[in-house]
Amino acid sequence: MSVAVIGAGWAGLACAVDLAAAGERPLVLEAARQPGGRARGVAVDGQRLDNGQHLLIGAYTDTLALMRRVGADPDALLTRHRLFVASPELRLALPPLPPPLDVAAGLLLARGAGWGEKFRAVRAMKALEAAGWSAPPEQTVADWLAATGLAGGVLARRLYAPLCLAALNTPLEAASMAVFARVLGDSLGAGARIPGATDYLVAAADLSAVFPGPAAAWIAARGGAVRTSARVKSLVPAVAGWSIELDGAAQETIEARQVVLAVAPQHASALLPDIPAAQATRDLLAGYRYEPIATVYLGLPPGIGLARPIVQIDGPAPGDSPAWVFDRGAAGNPGVLACVISARGPWQALPEAELAQRLLAHVRPYLRAAGQKAPLRDAPPLAWHKRIVEARATFAASAGLGRPAAITLAPGLHLAGDWTWAPWPATLEGAVRSGRRAAAAVLGTARENG
């Protein structure tokens, strides 16, 4: 075997696609029964939903490019919406102006925030742009909000805090401002370079159909393979490369000249070979902490949906961060809402039924019957509900968090995964870019961080 990729999440699949495009025949080994990692389709009550609701943005250039390469048309599989915030306290939308005027005008025209707060927000964004969308490594997002005079305001509660939690999945008091600044720069600050960089891209199908499924088929059509239910037990040096031992009664061993380890950080730590070059990465990962993400699906009558494709509601319990709610009608699930709660909080102690009812009460003002503009007076009873929790959904993008200094740990051994793509947080685009960089390392070509 020339190249083996361990992990068929978006990082591993992106790596294998680039390898197959270059003429390699990669073998991708995935412990789960289907590819996609933490962003894949699942069956729930007879419907195709996702193991977690994800939002892409127009700045995800590598993800969109790879979708096109494997025959997954973004224009058909993703619905595009201009950046907006619809919440109980704030209404914000970017007007059709050239960047960066659209961002400044969107902030100044936002409804719900005072003029002083709006001007402070514009000034803060201009300062970030002047600093090259960077911040001191030890500064938290809460520190930045306090320094700019935005802490405690509507924009902090309904714009910056929810965006930070959606992107970094880390509470503001711990979240790295350096990482958040980069996210803002690559989205709000990228409009002049990338048309529609700030647009929301909402999946119009389950996530397996958006990339993992087409990618696996494309790899197989070019001589590679994506092998599921293949859990790797150990990875050790061999005479001509690396020896990969699979878990199971058969005690199967695969020899590969090069290996890409494209798994979540908690799994990478366990699979790193016992060699001196890997010890620094293992020590680094020992300090990582993780945050959960919950997706709560609410089943309503098929004729009921949201006034907008995405709305922001209060968290289900006091002390929880705001939740984002997605109308999955465009994804083929009429009447189904996906409520996403980021990071740990009081919501974790609520029984599923109570959690669903609290979310339904908060989302009621945004519910509409098909063809109607007026909100429903009363929310209809839930036909069903389902809570899916990824307990370790992402690494906590905390201030001062170390990231791998190198992705090639030894000849023929490379790392991929969103945690390796600094300074981005745990996003699908970071995973894809890291996978492509690992493929370039395998092929001996250069690909730097974004």
Side-chain angles (χ1 to χ4, degrees):
M1 176 60 56
S2 176
V3 187
V5 179
I6 301 175
W10 289 48
L13 291 172
C15 178
V17 166
D18 273 8
L19 290 172
E24 296 283 349
R25 296 182 177 181
L27 171 64
V28 185
L29 300 170
E30 169 57 45
R33 289 179 290 180
Q34 66 182 98
R38 289 163 288 169
R40 67 184 190 275
V42 295
V44 176
D45 285 351
Q47 300 192 65
R48 288 292 297 177
L49 298 172
D50 295 309
N51 68 325
Q53 180 72 47
H54 286 260
L55 177 70
L56 289 76
I57 61 173
Y60 284 10
T61 52
D62 280 51
T63 301
L64 298 175
L66 277 198
M67 286 179 64
R68 294 186 180 95
R69 171 176 280 179
V70 301
D73 181 7
D75 294 333
L77 292 170
L78 302 170
T79 59
R80 186 177 284 265
H81 308 276
R82 290 279 288 175
L83 173 68
F84 62 86
V85 175
S87 77
E89 295 180 278
L90 180 70
R91 298 289 191 278
L92 182 149
L94 296 193
L97 295 172
L101 295 178
D102 57 346
V103 175
L107 287 169
L108 292 175
L109 296 174
R111 290 184 293 167
W115 283 106
E117 187 179 5
K118 293 176 183 180
F119 282 118
R120 286 193 295 274
V122 172
R123 186 169 61 243
M125 294 299 291
K126 294 298 292 182
L128 279 180
E129 182 181 19
W133 302 102
S134 65
E138 300 299 328
Q139 187 180 40
T140 68
V141 176
D143 291 338
W144 177 77
L145 289 171
T148 55
L150 293 169
V154 172
L155 291 176
R157 289 194 303 274
R158 293 299 180 177
L159 178 64
Y160 293 111
L163 288 179
C164 173
L165 283 162
L168 277 64
N169 193 34
T170 308
L172 271 66
E173 294 73 22
S176 167
M177 186 57 206
V179 174
F180 189 46
R182 185 56 179 269
V183 170
L184 293 175
D186 286 346
S187 54
L188 297 180
R193 294 182 290 105
I194 305 170
T198 58
D199 290 352
Y200 294 151
L201 306 182
V202 183
D206 71 81
L207 287 170
S208 288
V210 170
F211 179 65
W218 195 89
I219 293 164
R222 284 150 184 81
V226 177
R227 183 174 166 185
T228 56
S229 300
R231 184 178 298 277
V232 174
K233 182 179 181 180
S234 66
L235 175 65
V236 297
V239 174
W242 297 89
S243 180
I244 304 167
E245 183 182 358
L246 299 186
D247 204 359
Q251 296 185 337
E252 181 181 358
T253 299
I254 296 170
E255 303 290 332
R257 177 174 53 85
Q258 298 202 68
V259 173
V260 176
L261 190 58
V263 297
Q266 62 268 31
H267 303 311
S269 185
L271 288 177
L272 284 170
D274 189 16
I275 58 175
Q279 189 58 48
T281 301
R282 191 180 288 108
D283 292 343
L284 177 72
L285 293 177
Y288 273 41
R289 299 294 179 263
Y290 301 89
E291 289 288 345
I293 296 179
T295 301
V296 183
Y297 289 105
L298 307 179
L300 297 168
I304 303 299
L306 295 177
R308 307 279 313 250
I310 310 169
V311 299
Q312 185 192 117
I313 62 173
D314 290 331
D320 282 329
S321 61
W324 296 89
V325 186
F326 296 74
D327 190 330
R328 289 195 55 98
N333 308 116
V336 177
L337 305 181
C339 308
V340 181
I341 311 168
S342 296
R344 67 191 66 195
W347 63 268
Q348 294 172 289
L350 296 175
E352 180 179 315
E354 182 179 354
L355 177 61
Q357 290 298 330
R358 289 192 183 196
L359 291 167
L360 179 63
H362 287 320
V363 81
R364 184 201 59 76
Y366 302 99
L367 294 178
R368 303 289 188 273
Q372 301 296 315
K373 293 184 178 181
L376 295 179
R377 180 173 299 177
D378 298 303
L382 291 174
W384 58 272
H385 52 77
K386 179 68 174 178
R387 172 172 56 186
I388 298 177
V389 179
E390 289 279 356
R392 288 184 159 196
T394 71
F395 63 89
S398 304
L401 180 72
R403 308 288 280 274
I407 65 152
T408 298
L409 302 184
L413 177 60
H414 316 280
L415 298 176
D418 52 24
W419 58 281
T420 72
W421 189 259
W424 274 49
T427 63
L428 295 178
E429 178 73 358
V432 167
R433 292 187 183 187
S434 77
R436 303 194 72 186
R437 179 180 59 180
V442 169
L443 298 170
T445 57
R447 180 178 175 84
E448 300 299 328
N449 283 23

